[in-house]
Amino acid sequence: MLSFVRRHKDDNLVPTLCDAPNLDPFGACRVCSVEVALEEGGPVKTMASCHTPVSEGQYIYTSTPSVQKLRKNIIELVLTDHPLDCLTCEVNGNCELQTVAAQVGIRDVRYPAGDNHLHKTKDLSHPYMTSDFSKCINCYRCVRACDEVQGEFVLSMAGRGFDAHIIKGLDQSFMESDCVSCGACSQACPTSAISDVFQSKAIQATETTRTVCTYCGVGCNLDVATNSGEILSITAPYDAEVNQGHTCLKGRFAFKFYDHPERLDSPMIKRNGEFEKVSWDEAYTYIADKFTHYKNTYGPDSMAGISSSRCTNEENYLMQKFFRAVLQTNNIDGCARVCHSPTALGMQRTFGTGAATNSIEDLKYTNCIMVIGANPTDAHPVTGAKLKQFAMKQDNVTIVIDPRRTEIARYADHHLALRPGTNVAVLNMMMYYIIDEGLVDESFIKNRTEGYEDFIKELMAIDIDKLEAVSGVPREQVKAAAIAYATAPNAMSFHGLGVTEHSQGTFTVMQIADLAMLTGNIGRRGVGVNPLRGQNNVQGSADMGVQPHQGAGYLDVTNPEINKRYNEFYGSELPLHIGYKIPEMFDAALDGKLKAIWIIGEDVVQTDPNTQKVIKALNATDLVIVQELFMTETAKQADVILPGSSFLEKSGTFTNGERRVQAVRQVVKPIEGTKPDGQIIVDIMNRMGYSQPDYTPDGMLEEISQIVPFFAGIKWERLGQNGLQWPVAPDGTDTQILHEQEFKRGLGYFEFHPWEETQEITQHGKDFPYILTTNRELEHYNCGAMTRRTANEQILKSDYLMINPADAESHLINDGDFVCIESPRGKVDVKARITDEVKPGILSTTFHFPDIMINNITGDVHDSEAMCPEYKVVAVRIRKSKGKFKSLLQDK
Ligand code: SF4
């Protein structure tokens, strides 16, 4: 009834305290009571309108004197137990209790003062979350936000009657509890009973700007509040289609890096081993002269670029254009190389398009999800929360394929805890059982695919005994999961880096696509293959041509027709041969062939495998240009540093993991001394003699829409609040579901791939018997350069090693001890966290902290097709640390 009244009359006609836009109706406060009759003038009944269904023929009286009296009485009772300190309260002027009290006409409270809860103490234990339960009105909004939005169940109501009160965990502080700091409770709370240190509900802001989060590929919309050019706080807009009023702690709270004192604020050139601040003009001349010299002396392929998923589509487009049109080389690559390049390649081979087939919204229409090689509640938290909500519902089926018992695995109906490196084995077993059980979608296979005859012949010859043994997953478990997936009316798959960062990463992606085709789970709502893209704009950077084999719009650089088109469009002669992928750039540097490299917003020293090799490669390159926000480990190796801008200081677009191109809007001016990355690239293009207009998002999008076919209808002014999902037709019509009638390549392509043991194990497994996998933690992102410069650092201070209790016991390792992990590349010391989340023989750690530098021990094995490094299988041995590194860390 409440929604009905709001929709047809007025949003503010019926007041409420416990209702919130992203929560289910609850009926705690009764302030929304209305009178309902079944005939005009007939007897009325008072009902809470928020959770009473509306039906035909009802007469709803929203403002009768008796209803108004009831509302006023409720608020008076609430106010008898509420501190009347409005003038000094943080939410004064933006307090829903204050607003409703005014709305119902409270002038005084008729009840005498009685027992109350005004003595409750504040909880200031947490770097972000605060509480002051003297202001609590027991509306349950925070509890419901924690349950219904985040699915964390940290907040609950204890006590009965007058003693009823909100508790965190087992009546702990925010810091002691399992709170994940998403801030959903704070945003839901109508008073300041739960708030945050940025006082995001206060009204100091003079302006609010809608933009998009810089961290992960979910692409949450953020409302950024500012006053006099200073960012005050961030909240999540309820009308955002991507995140509907939710964020994780990175999007909502981890923004203070933007004006951190350590921001680089001047171009610098390294002379005699020391960085010297120089003017932009001097830096540009230095770079342009060097590039011109290398081009003339060693040829265009002596230079390479690594662009950034942190940057906008327009900036990535410019970076690849600079390398292709100005330097005339295809040596341009990006971080997709080390994360989802196998996804792009594998899905292109099978479907013709290397992007998510569906949208996250399709979770509403599916019956089964298969999450493989992904830990979404840490790495893609807002989507992770939705997947978790799905998994918790009774009739839904959830399959998790992951070596770790991740949070979502705990809710799964089927958890296939395979040995790292055996995805192909398990997926082949699944497909074997689907075919064996006669569960294939024959008509889909017949009408929409090719290659099935050869595929099935090879697949049905697999050795189940062997695959069961190597994967460590009992065949009955695999069969049950296969049947669950194949018999669900609609099944969606979600995969992450646990699929791609393997020697058989591309083949695994192709198998996930095969599984979808085998069961007809493609081309409609609630199905499909949905990679969980890692960094915020990794999808967009590849779309814009930041890869050495395909230019902007995934067009083949070796195709003469396409080459002609690019040449005409760019007014230059582009090369027809494929350029270096990132690992090949480092190899070329070590071979003396690479003279210059320009790296934007990517800390390759900390995040790429085999750190020492990367450092050697950079040292072997004559000119290393690093465009960055901070002095990262890679920036330290630079010859020239260019200070770029954060997402809060520039405009453009990011493309999220569901192909949604969204507007990033400048919130504040770039920090003094820095420039938007796009403008830096434009300046250097012009300095090199190529005429490129100044960087503007609308101007760049106009150019992009002329060369990238699926951006044809994307114009800055069309993006609105929720963006557009590509492909976008010239008239602006976008696409939520791909491959509805036919695949981009025509017919979907089946191709069988047998499981093969990775070289990392065949070569080193005997001497290094443990398998280490690397992963991400909720609090930090990638190299952590940004999140480590926020209060997230107080929540998670260091990388740690997950180790099974049995392994810890056999090495006499206690929780918190430092463990020396040694691989054929080197050793590092990491603190142990003993947990049965990993099985015996398996170790897991993160790579967010440079003092640990876990990539000192990761290796050079990579995906056979896309050259994505195999971070997920590192052969290691362990022992309790003798203390060499431990003392270093303790000193810090
Ligand atoms: Fe959303 Fe990802 Fe940003 Fe968290 S990090 S707010 S999930 S986009």
Side-chain angles (χ1 to χ4, degrees):
M1 277 183 189
L2 182 62
S3 331
F4 177 79
V5 171
R6 284 179 173 164
R7 201 160 54 238
H8 294 286
K9 285 285 184 187
D10 181 345
D11 263 358
N12 299 316
L13 192 58
V14 177
T16 167
L17 283 175
C18 71
D19 188 67
N22 58 345
L23 301 179
D24 288 341
F26 192 67
C29 73
R30 324 304 282 189
V31 174
C32 69
S33 293
V34 292
E35 287 181 334
V36 184
L38 295 179
E39 56 184 286
E40 192 169 10
V44 293
K45 196 168 175 189
T46 306
M47 321 278 287
S49 64
C50 68
H51 70 153
T52 306
V54 71
S55 57
E56 202 172 336
Q58 286 174 333
Y59 287 80
I60 303 169
Y61 301 101
T62 59
S63 314
T64 62
S66 60
V67 158
Q68 287 178 328
K69 195 171 159 196
L70 172 65
R71 290 177 190 150
K72 192 170 171 184
N73 197 30
I74 293 169
I75 301 299
E76 277 184 273
L77 286 166
V78 169
L79 291 177
T80 58
D81 193 6
H82 195 83
L84 299 177
D85 60 353
C86 294
L87 284 182
T88 53
C89 180
E90 120 188 14
V91 293
N92 184 24
N94 195 26
C95 168
E96 292 183 42
L97 177 60
Q98 202 177 39
T99 308
V100 172
Q103 205 176 345
V104 301
I106 298 285
R107 294 290 170 270
D108 57 8
V109 174
R110 291 167 295 155
Y111 299 104
D115 284 351
N116 58 49
H117 298 91
L118 305 185
H119 57 279
K120 296 252 173 192
T121 48
K122 291 183 183 177
D123 175 3
L124 303 175
S125 62
H126 194 275
Y128 294 129
M129 306 301 303
T130 63
S131 73
D132 176 359
F133 287 139
S134 70
K135 311 242 165 120
C136 179
I137 59 169
N138 285 11
C139 65
Y140 280 78
R141 269 161 73 160
C142 58
V143 177
R144 288 148 59 212
C146 194
D147 296 0
E148 295 171 23
V149 178
Q150 180 58 34
E152 212 59 30
F153 306 101
V154 168
L155 297 171
S156 54
M157 187 68 86
R160 288 288 178 274
F162 184 74
D163 189 36
H165 61 286
I166 302 289
I167 57 168
K168 303 153 201 150
L170 300 171
D171 209 358
Q172 296 156 303
S173 68
F174 263 125
M175 199 59 178
E176 291 160 336
S177 74
D178 287 339
C179 170
V180 292
S181 329
C182 69
C185 56
S186 155
Q187 183 158 330
C189 174
T191 70
S192 58
I194 295 186
S195 186
D196 58 71
V197 296
F198 301 110
Q199 304 193 350
S200 54
K201 288 180 283 190
I203 52 162
Q204 301 119 329
T206 50
E207 211 177 322
T208 301
T209 309
R210 174 79 60 96
T211 191
V212 181
C213 178
T214 190
Y215 288 111
C216 89
V218 174
C220 292
N221 286 211
L222 309 175
D223 273 347
V224 188
T226 50
N227 193 346
S228 307
E230 187 198 348
I231 297 177
L232 302 177
S233 64
I234 291 179
T235 50
Y238 288 113
D239 62 350
E241 284 176 13
V242 170
N243 50 314
Q244 302 102 9
H246 193 33
T247 66
C248 73
L249 84 164
K250 293 190 287 287
R252 191 186 296 269
F253 297 131
F255 62 86
K256 284 302 285 178
F257 69 87
Y258 89 96
D259 61 351
H260 192 279
E262 288 170 12
R263 271 289 295 271
L264 297 167
D265 60 1
S266 168
M268 291 192 274
I269 296 177
K270 197 184 264 171
R271 292 187 174 116
N272 304 317
E274 299 288 331
F275 283 117
E276 278 177 24
K277 288 192 177 186
V278 296
S279 66
W280 280 102
D281 194 54
E282 185 176 345
Y284 287 156
T285 304
Y286 186 89
I287 291 167
D289 288 352
K290 291 267 184 185
F291 274 144
T292 307
H293 167 69
Y294 296 135
K295 188 175 175 185
N296 294 339
T297 314
Y298 304 105
D301 287 342
S302 65
M303 295 163 287
I306 300 178
S307 194
S308 176
S309 295
R310 289 274 168 277
C311 288
T312 63
N313 283 323
E314 296 71 21
E315 291 169 334
N316 276 291
Y317 173 84
L318 279 166
M319 184 69 169
Q320 65 86 36
K321 182 177 175 182
F322 172 75
F323 275 85
R324 293 197 159 104
V326 182
L327 297 187
Q328 297 170 305
T329 174
N330 281 314
N331 290 344
I332 177 74
D333 209 355
C335 78
R337 185 63 48 213
V338 293
C339 63
H340 267 291
S341 52
T343 292
L345 187 59
M347 290 178 72
Q348 275 180 22
R349 283 186 185 174
T350 309
F351 298 152
T353 301
T357 61
N358 289 61
S359 308
I360 299 301
E361 194 199 348
D362 283 19
L363 279 170
K364 289 185 202 148
Y365 306 94
T366 196
N367 312 90
C368 170
I369 57 170
M370 180 177 82
V371 180
I372 170 166
N375 181 15
T377 53
D378 275 352
H380 305 87
V382 165
T383 296
K386 290 179 186 175
L387 292 169
K388 191 165 58 162
Q389 295 285 354
F390 176 93
M392 286 190 287
K393 296 214 168 75
Q394 185 114 36
D395 294 333
N396 294 341
V397 176
T398 302
I399 302 163
V400 172
I401 304 177
D402 203 290
R404 283 173 55 194
R405 194 163 47 82
T406 56
E407 188 179 7
I408 198 153
R410 283 186 241 140
Y411 295 98
D413 304 276
H414 306 268
H415 176 204
L416 311 184
L418 74 183
R419 169 166 76 85
T422 61
N423 285 329
V424 169
V426 168
L427 288 169
N428 272 342
M429 286 167 80
M430 278 183 78
M431 290 193 282
Y432 173 94
Y433 285 121
I434 288 171
I435 294 168
D436 198 46
E437 293 287 312
L439 298 174
V440 297
D441 184 334
E442 305 221 344
S443 118
F444 187 93
I445 293 169
K446 182 163 171 275
N447 298 323
R448 301 230 13 215
T449 70
E450 61 183 340
Y452 185 63
E453 292 308 313
D454 291 341
F455 172 80
I456 191 172
K457 225 181 285 163
E458 292 182 275
L459 180 72
M460 296 315 278
I462 58 172
D463 181 346
I464 293 280
D465 291 341
K466 179 182 163 194
L467 299 186
E468 182 182 44
V470 297
S471 67
V473 187
R475 66 185 72 193
E476 298 75 30
Q477 283 186 19
V478 180
K479 185 174 175 181
I483 293 172
Y485 178 89
T487 54
N490 290 320
M492 285 180 95
S493 73
F494 297 89
H495 71 266
L497 306 185
V499 161
T500 56
E501 290 176 343
H502 282 286
S503 57
Q504 291 192 292
T506 301
F507 297 154
T508 311
V509 172
M510 291 173 77
Q511 283 180 305
I512 296 169
D514 290 343
L515 204 50
M517 294 196 298
L518 210 54
T519 52
N521 275 308
I522 204 85
R524 61 178 190 278
R525 278 243 179 256
V527 299
V529 177
N530 300 281
L532 294 166
R533 304 306 301 254
Q535 300 205 45
N536 56 324
N537 198 32
V538 66
Q539 177 70 55
S541 61
D543 298 345
M544 292 299 106
V546 172
Q547 40 185 0
H549 66 300
Q550 291 171 326
Y554 297 106
L555 304 178
D556 179 2
V557 296
T558 64
N559 180 321
E561 292 275 301
I562 288 165
N563 179 260
K564 188 163 167 270
R565 187 165 157 213
Y566 279 141
N567 290 348
E568 283 167 10
F569 192 71
Y570 292 139
S572 178
E573 286 287 313
L574 273 65
L576 265 159
H577 59 278
I578 294 173
Y580 293 141
K581 301 180 179 79
I582 291 175
E584 292 170 331
M585 291 178 192
F586 296 145
D587 287 340
L590 292 169
D591 289 347
K593 293 186 206 147
L594 195 74
K595 301 297 172 193
I597 188 165
W598 181 2
I599 303 171
I600 300 186
E602 187 72 12
D603 189 357
V604 291
V605 170
Q606 193 181 323
T607 60
D608 281 32
N610 200 347
T611 301
Q612 295 310 316
K613 180 180 170 185
V614 175
I615 292 174
K616 273 189 206 142
L618 294 180
N619 287 340
T621 308
D622 287 354
L623 175 67
V624 177
I625 305 164
V626 176
Q627 192 163 316
E628 255 303 349
L629 302 182
F630 298 103
M631 186 58 79
T632 60
E633 298 305 304
T634 303
K636 288 176 191 166
Q637 307 298 325
D639 299 291
V640 181
I641 285 184
L642 301 172
S645 296
S646 74
F647 79 114
L648 294 160
E649 301 156 80
K650 59 189 175 188
S651 295
T653 55
F654 290 157
T655 305
N656 80 352
E658 47 179 14
R659 300 171 276 104
R660 189 187 293 264
V661 182
Q662 302 191 97
V664 177
R665 298 182 181 89
Q666 184 180 25
V667 177
V668 288
K669 285 196 197 126
I671 297 287
E672 200 176 330
T674 71
K675 288 190 186 197
D677 298 272
Q679 188 57 46
I680 297 172
I681 303 165
V682 166
D683 290 345
I684 294 177
M685 289 172 98
N686 283 305
R687 195 59 70 102
M688 298 277 301
Y690 187 95
S691 175
Q692 178 73 35
D694 276 350
Y695 177 84
T696 58
D698 50 341
M700 286 314 307
L701 267 184
E702 186 56 43
E703 178 175 333
I704 294 166
S705 67
Q706 291 169 34
I707 189 74
V708 174
F710 49 85
F711 264 55
I714 299 188
K715 311 282 172 204
W716 179 250
E717 60 280 3
R718 276 186 181 158
L719 290 173
Q721 296 288 44
N722 287 299
L724 295 165
Q725 285 174 276
W726 66 250
V728 180
D731 67 359
T733 309
D734 72 344
T735 313
Q736 291 186 356
I737 302 166
L738 296 181
H739 317 303
E740 281 186 282
Q741 302 305 326
E742 64 168 9
F743 289 102
K744 179 84 192 314
R745 70 182 295 282
L747 294 172
Y749 178 54
F750 279 106
E751 191 175 80
F752 174 77
H753 293 283
W755 172 78
E756 277 178 25
E757 185 72 277
T758 165
Q759 277 178 23
E760 176 74 359
I761 300 296
T762 54
Q763 289 180 359
H764 306 298
K766 199 156 158 283
D767 296 329
F768 298 88
Y770 284 87
I771 297 178
L772 174 76
T773 81
T774 64
N775 55 74
R776 289 180 176 144
E777 279 294 334
L778 169 69
E779 289 79 7
H780 292 287
Y781 211 70
N782 222 21
C783 71
M786 298 189 294
T787 49
R788 283 186 286 102
R789 290 178 173 90
T790 68
N792 285 28
E793 206 270 344
Q794 295 169 38
I795 303 173
L796 187 73
K797 298 175 193 322
S798 174
D799 293 320
Y800 60 87
L801 180 74
M802 289 189 200
I803 178 169
N804 183 273
D807 292 335
E809 192 182 346
S810 58
H811 290 274
L812 306 179
I813 291 166
N814 295 313
D815 208 53
D817 281 350
F818 275 90
V819 180
C820 177
I821 321 173
E822 186 179 359
S823 83
R825 276 73 55 181
K827 32 178 131 161
V828 293
D829 273 17
V830 188
K831 222 179 219 182
R833 181 183 289 178
I834 299 174
T835 171
D836 61 3
E837 201 173 303
V838 288
K839 295 209 287 195
I842 311 296
L843 306 163
S844 181
T845 187
T846 46
F847 56 95
H848 303 307
F849 290 83
D851 46 5
I852 302 284
M853 202 60 104
I854 205 76
N855 280 312
N856 269 317
I857 62 172
T858 51
D860 292 325
V861 179
H862 45 67
D863 173 44
S864 58
E865 312 300 292
M867 290 195 88
C868 178
E870 189 165 52
Y871 294 101
K872 303 297 183 188
V873 185
V874 183
V876 298
R877 57 188 172 218
I878 54 169
R879 60 174 166 75
K880 193 166 173 169
S881 168
K882 288 184 186 149
K884 184 177 159 207
F885 296 96
K886 183 179 174 179
S887 60
L888 274 177
L889 288 166
Q890 280 175 340
D891 288 347
K892 275 176 104 70

